[in-house]
Amino acid sequence: MALLPILRYPDPRLQKKAAPISTVDASIRKLAADMAETMYAAPGIGLAATQVDRHIRLVIIDVTENKSKLQVFINPEIINKSGDCESEEGCLSVPGIYESVTRAEEVTVKALDLDGQAFELTADGLLAVCIQHEIDHLNGKVFVNYLSRLKQQRIKEKLIKQARENL
Ligand code: NI
């Protein structure tokens, strides 16, 4: 396994739309394992392939406190959603920034697992937020895109300054 570099907002590669995965093979399983290691090391609760500069529709999530339930979603698609809930979000690609975002309260997602088998899952709470956040990444969207232009501009400037100081 290997740790992968995570793209940082406002890197334009975070805006790329990811392509569907046609075959779930060993290379996909290897990428998912490397992404899991990267996410746990960060530490984070979700990671989309887009964030490690691989523009294919693969997302991993583990919202447990003891890293005990890794969930892999290949070609995820939200097929049902209901309700509204507002919660504070962060992102490994936007380090140190936490902002409130409104999303659906409950979602049903359809995806493939690492064996290429289709499954459906209905989630609420943190898992529902995380699924929506990660699928947004596959569509080239970062959570700060839900904020006002002024706020986005401030975050952009802050992160660019941070990156410069860390050189
Ligand atoms: Ni994110």
Side-chain angles (χ1 to χ4, degrees):
M1 291 206 285
L3 287 180
L4 306 168
I6 298 174
L7 298 179
R8 297 275 176 95
Y9 178 81
D11 192 309
R13 289 171 290 182
L14 287 169
Q15 293 169 27
K16 284 193 191 176
K17 193 172 160 68
I21 292 172
S22 52
T23 315
V24 181
D25 58 15
S27 72
I28 299 297
R29 286 186 279 274
K30 164 89 167 75
L31 176 60
D34 287 345
M35 282 170 59
E37 194 185 3
T38 304
M39 175 183 78
Y40 288 132
I45 58 170
L47 192 65
T50 305
Q51 293 175 274
V52 293
D53 202 22
R54 293 288 305 274
H55 302 280
I56 53 175
R57 303 189 82 79
L58 167 62
V59 156
I60 62 162
I61 292 175
D62 187 342
V63 294
T64 64
E65 265 171 37
N66 54 355
K67 307 177 178 183
S68 60
K69 195 178 181 199
L70 182 69
Q71 291 177 287
V72 178
F73 301 85
I74 294 164
N75 300 336
E77 221 178 297
I78 290 173
I79 53 173
N80 201 19
K81 54 174 153 183
S82 62
D84 280 321
C85 75
E86 195 180 331
S87 61
E88 191 144 281
E89 294 187 23
C91 178
L92 294 177
S93 293
V94 196
I97 307 289
Y98 300 90
E99 294 283 348
S100 206
V101 176
T102 300
R103 298 190 186 268
E105 189 172 26
E106 185 180 280
V107 295
T108 301
V109 63
K110 176 179 103 174
L112 301 178
D113 65 17
L114 280 179
D115 297 315
Q117 299 295 314
F119 68 96
E120 273 184 31
L121 172 80
T122 298
D124 60 8
L126 181 58
L127 181 57
V129 170
C130 201
I131 288 169
Q132 294 171 82
H133 175 119
E134 300 309 331
I135 291 177
D136 271 355
H137 276 302
L138 301 181
N139 294 326
K141 194 163 183 179
V142 180
F143 82 99
V144 295
N145 297 143
Y146 290 101
L147 308 174
S148 70
R149 288 175 77 110
L150 180 64
K151 249 185 178 169
Q152 287 186 58
Q153 193 53 39
R154 283 195 188 138
I155 291 168
K156 223 177 258 182
E157 283 163 10
K158 191 172 169 186
L159 290 179
I160 289 169
K161 187 165 169 265
Q162 242 174 47
R164 218 183 287 135
E165 283 165 357
N166 290 337
L167 280 181

